[in-house]
Amino acid sequence: MLAIGRALLLGPKLVLLDEPSDGLAPTVVDQVMAVVKSLTATGISVLIVEQDLRAAFSVAGRVVVMSKGQIVHEASIAAFRSDPGRARELLGV
């Protein structure tokens, strides 16, 4: 939360978050994701790199999967969630 707050002091149009849920209790993750949602509601774009799919899906509009620096898949959340075989193939989950 502190890192997000510090980033916002600069008035960004885009915020990049790398694993914002890492090491946090589930209730704190929910709070962080609520802040992310509020940021996007104000027009700030947010790019999240996240392994916690539940958290990522709660705020994301699109899913982009990268492998070795290359985009290998891009879809809406609904399309990604409707194809569990593809998700398993891409993410191993």
Side-chain angles (χ1 to χ4, degrees):
M1 291 292 247
L2 177 60
I4 293 171
R6 288 178 63 197
L8 293 176
L9 288 174
L10 301 172
K13 293 180 183 176
L14 170 67
V15 175
L16 307 174
L17 300 173
D18 184 15
E19 298 287 343
S21 71
D22 189 35
L24 300 178
T27 55
V28 179
V29 172
D30 292 342
Q31 291 173 359
V32 169
M33 293 305 150
V35 168
V36 170
K37 275 187 181 181
S38 69
L39 292 177
T40 60
T42 66
I44 297 173
S45 296
V46 180
L47 175 73
I48 299 176
V49 176
E50 181 60 68
Q51 290 186 21
D52 180 345
L53 292 180
R54 180 192 62 82
F57 286 162
S58 74
V59 297
R62 298 202 55 75
V63 172
V64 177
V65 179
M66 295 182 75
S67 178
K68 298 180 183 177
Q70 300 293 317
I71 294 174
V72 295
H73 185 74
E74 184 175 354
S76 69
I77 295 296
F80 191 79
R81 292 184 105 173
S82 70
D83 190 356
R86 181 80 166 142
R88 229 180 338 276
E89 174 189 323
L90 292 166
L91 305 176
V93 293

